[in-house]
Amino acid sequence: SIAQQPCSMLSRRSSNFPFLVFHFPFCLLTLQKKFSHQAPFFMIKTLLASAMLISNIGLDWFDAHFGTYDKMQKDLHKLAEPGFVEYKSCELIIKHLEENGFKVERGVANLPTAFVATFGEGEPVLAVLAEYDALPGLSQDTTACFSPRVPGGYGHGCGHNLIGTTAVSAAVGVS
């Protein structure tokens, strides 16, 4: 199967690309509204220059904090807790968010591992979803080749450790 074939790993710099995608549409929407009364050519030039500047600032921030978030995704990967019982994973993320100035409401919707973390007030409001549960049958070592840590066990072959970490790092980066 394809999952059992070796695949190439992305470089560290290219692993930041999802963060660029996260920031870029928001920057364009914000800037488009601000500059929409000006000539189209100037608006396009300003949008591109601003997006490039903001994107580079974002990439520099993520590069500077790469170690923190690389450790977080590896910790989530090792924990590999199933949905609704990802207690240690939840605490790991909440602790990091609180250390970075977020107010955290725990137990949202009467689910002990669901939370809402808030930073700042007013508008615009950005919402980020962080999935960090492990799925059955997807146990996988941190290698590009098929290598289950626990055959048939729960794991992050799905990438939820990365989705959760990306969401957390994006929220902290924007804050």
Side-chain angles (χ1 to χ4, degrees):
S1 88
I2 291 174
Q4 295 177 339
Q5 300 301 316
C7 58
S8 62
M9 299 298 286
L10 297 173
S11 71
R12 191 176 133 221
R13 185 66 169 178
S14 67
S15 69
N16 287 326
F17 185 73
F19 303 122
L20 177 63
V21 172
F22 175 82
H23 289 290
F24 197 74
F26 171 72
C27 297
L28 283 178
L29 290 173
T30 302
L31 294 170
Q32 186 175 12
K33 183 176 179 185
K34 183 175 180 181
F35 295 110
S36 62
H37 67 283
Q38 299 177 359
F41 178 72
F42 177 75
M43 186 176 101
I44 291 169
K45 228 168 89 172
T46 304
L47 284 171
L48 290 174
S50 299
M52 286 171 39
L53 173 65
I54 292 168
S55 295
N56 285 337
I57 291 169
L59 289 176
D60 290 344
W61 185 90
F62 286 111
D63 276 347
H65 294 87
F66 177 82
T68 298
Y69 295 106
D70 186 46
K71 181 179 182 332
M72 178 182 286
Q73 69 88 10
K74 287 177 180 171
D75 289 346
L76 291 173
H77 190 273
K78 286 179 191 168
L79 290 168
E81 298 173 294
F84 304 110
V85 293
E86 60 275 75
Y87 298 108
K88 292 176 184 175
S89 300
C90 181
E91 284 306 312
L92 174 81
I93 292 171
I94 287 174
K95 180 181 178 206
H96 181 75
L97 290 168
E98 288 176 336
E99 287 171 353
N100 283 279
F102 284 76
K103 291 181 261 178
V104 178
E105 178 188 352
R106 299 166 187 258
V108 173
N110 293 320
L111 297 171
T113 59
F115 64 89
V116 172
T118 308
F119 186 92
E121 56 188 53
E123 294 183 356
V125 175
L126 299 176
V128 181
L129 172 67
E131 290 185 87
Y132 50 95
D133 61 320
L135 299 179
L138 292 181
S139 177
Q140 173 65 20
D141 198 359
T142 55
T143 177
C145 303
F146 181 70
S147 179
R149 290 176 64 220
V150 178
Y154 280 85
H156 287 289
C158 56
H160 285 184
N161 60 311
L162 300 172
I163 295 168
T165 301
T166 300
V168 171
S169 63
V172 173
V174 170
S175 74

